[in-house]
Amino acid sequence: MDKLLEYKDIWILAQQKEGRLERISFELITRGRELADQRGCRLCAMLFGGDITDDELHRLGRCGLDLAAVCRDERLKDFNVEPYARVMDVVISKYRPEVIIAGATSTGRTLMPYAAIKANTGLTADCTGLAIDPESGGLHQTRPAIGGNIMATIKTPAHRPQMATVRPHSTKPAQPAQKSKMLIEDILPEDQWFTTGVEYLGFESSGDQVSLADSDRVVVVGRGIKKADNLPMIYELADALDAAVGATRDVVDRGWLSYPHQIGLSGITISPKLYIGIGVSGAIQHLAGMQTAETIIAINSDPEAQIFKIADFGIVGDLFEVVPALTQQIRSGGVVD
Ligand SMILES: Cc1cc2nc3c(=O)[nH]c(=O)nc-3n(C[C@H](O)[C@H](O)[C@H](O)COP(=O)(O)OP(=O)(O)OC[C@H]3O[C@@H](n4cnc5c(N)ncnc54)[C@H](O)[C@@H]3O)c2cc1C
């Protein structure tokens, strides 16, 4: 058990693209800062990439990061799991992080299991909640389990680091609030880290998902809409609000909207300023993808619908009456802020 005491500090896996830090890095700082404060330790980041300037790195420092261990080499410019895992292994051996959290991005989802196996430890993917146990100091990793029917809290009592991923957009990114006092330590690359059987061809992302996940306002349609022919009224409301349109799984399974619109456990996670759920019941698997929205408005004819339990504003009524009236009101009332 004493070996566990050698491990310290909360670490995040920061990510970059073309030398620019990605949003997920700042979301992880928000998550990591809470944990570091609870644990009373430093918040550190590891970052691998090509040409990353110190100025760019200090954006992390201005958000309160204490240390960045960075490996800069042109061969790390694009993600490749084998070299990345070797560098991560070096970081783990050198710094012995007590906790490592990463985004459940394509990089995090690929690298973290690989690195966890190398480090002979566990990994909890897609956590919705992370907290430090005040008694043991261990990491409580909470995520939906058994088809999303329960929330399970998972611990890693006998191995270190404790490793977890969290969905992108499941929290707000940290904002720069101070002068950077962050220490930058370079990990010097070694040629043998770069042998790989993987050839990088390119990266293609689904534009749809990105715009929905990045939208400040999202109008989400559920099965209450009854059929695809009724969707134009949802788009009209979204248009009046300058919002993106999302959907529940029931709507996607019925083919009324495509999968990139799906929000929830098996879809994407969003954290907009405004979420409007229309004819959405509020099943736990749906809530897993939107409950961190700043303001939640629900329109549902059933006053007992689960969604009202987490809504800031609820409208009990027939969506076929409420939605056109709302759209008209917004259009006649001018800009919504
Ligand atoms: C492993 C697993 C993963 C899942 N992943 C997801 C996921 O990622 N995302 C997701 O959304 N679901 C997911 N689900 C499905 C989830 O359990 C629910 O079945 C789904 O979210 C329900 O969608 P809904 O709210 O559109 O439909 P319903 O639950 O059928 O709700 C329809 C709502 O519309 C209301 N309504 C009906 N008519 C009107 C009207 N005229 N005016 C106003 N309101 C009306 C009803 O009162 C009702 O509350 C998953 C399930 C499992 C088992």
Side-chain angles (χ1 to χ4, degrees):
M1 228 29 188
D2 277 348
K3 256 203 135 359
L4 300 191
L5 299 175
E6 292 173 10
Y7 291 80
K8 58 184 188 326
D9 297 329
I10 308 293
W11 283 70
I12 63 165
L13 174 71
Q15 281 186 227
Q16 58 77 37
K17 199 161 178 79
E18 308 285 337
R20 287 284 295 169
L21 287 157
E22 293 190 282
R23 176 189 156 110
I24 185 68
S25 311
F26 299 94
E27 293 178 14
L28 291 170
I29 291 182
T30 304
R31 295 269 192 180
R33 174 45 60 201
E34 274 176 32
L35 298 176
D37 288 347
Q38 287 169 27
R39 189 73 176 120
C41 67
R42 293 188 305 176
L43 178 60
C44 311
M46 59 186 89
L47 176 65
F48 318 136
D51 189 13
I52 310 162
T53 62
D54 281 6
D55 271 359
E56 183 64 12
L57 283 171
H58 279 298
R59 289 176 62 208
L60 299 170
R62 288 201 293 280
C63 296
L65 209 82
D66 298 300
L67 167 78
V70 56
C71 190
R72 298 180 249 207
D73 188 289
E74 262 311 285
R75 291 167 288 183
L76 295 170
K77 182 171 162 287
D78 299 310
F79 173 63
N80 182 340
V81 71
E82 289 160 302
Y84 268 55
R86 287 187 195 110
V87 188
M88 195 161 173
D89 201 29
V90 169
V91 173
I92 291 173
S93 307
K94 180 169 179 197
Y95 294 96
R96 300 198 178 273
E98 191 174 29
V99 168
I100 305 175
I101 52 172
T105 56
S106 49
T107 297
R109 279 177 200 256
T110 314
L111 177 59
M112 289 288 273
Y114 210 101
I117 287 173
K118 273 174 159 282
N120 190 31
T121 188
L123 166 70
T124 308
D126 276 1
C127 293
T128 51
L130 292 172
I132 299 291
D133 176 4
E135 276 171 29
S136 67
L139 183 69
H140 281 184
Q141 305 147 53
T142 302
R143 56 153 295 150
I146 316 191
N149 290 314
I150 61 159
M151 296 302 281
T153 296
I154 295 156
K155 302 184 210 172
T156 315
H159 293 85
R160 293 290 180 270
Q162 301 161 93
M163 294 174 70
T165 61
V166 292
R167 291 259 190 120
H169 295 278
S170 62
T171 192
K172 299 278 174 238
Q175 298 298 326
Q178 59 200 78
K179 215 165 167 275
S180 175
K181 290 189 229 119
M182 187 183 75
L183 215 61
I184 297 174
E185 291 187 3
D186 273 287
I187 310 285
L188 297 178
E190 295 178 20
D191 281 343
Q192 70 267 23
W193 297 350
F194 296 95
T195 47
T196 172
V198 178
E199 188 190 350
Y200 182 83
L201 296 178
F203 184 84
E204 274 180 39
S205 79
S206 156
D208 263 4
Q209 290 199 19
V210 172
S211 64
L212 179 57
D214 286 338
S215 292
D216 275 347
R217 298 169 190 170
V218 180
V219 172
V220 176
V221 60
R223 189 154 69 100
I225 194 71
K226 309 270 192 294
K227 53 183 178 176
D229 289 350
N230 294 328
L231 283 171
M233 79 163 82
I234 302 295
Y235 276 95
E236 271 173 43
L237 175 62
D239 190 45
L241 283 165
D242 193 19
V245 173
T248 63
R249 177 165 161 176
D250 269 48
V251 166
V252 170
D253 283 351
R254 284 175 164 72
W256 298 345
L257 282 172
S258 60
Y259 175 69
H261 292 89
Q262 186 173 316
I263 289 160
L265 186 62
S266 45
I268 62 160
T269 302
I270 57 169
S271 199
K273 289 201 171 111
L274 176 67
Y275 166 104
I276 306 183
I278 301 170
V280 172
S281 60
I284 187 169
Q285 297 90 351
H286 183 73
L287 302 188
M290 47 63 70
Q291 59 200 348
T292 55
E294 251 170 56
T295 303
I296 297 172
I297 299 177
I299 302 168
N300 197 305
S301 51
D302 176 7
E304 301 298 320
Q306 283 297 317
I307 191 127
F308 286 131
K309 297 210 163 62
I310 62 153
D312 299 288
F313 302 98
I315 302 172
V316 179
D318 183 350
L319 71 90
F320 296 99
E321 290 169 16
V322 176
V323 171
L326 195 58
T327 308
Q328 198 189 12
Q329 188 68 32
I330 291 163
R331 289 213 191 278
S332 60
V335 183
V336 177
D337 273 318

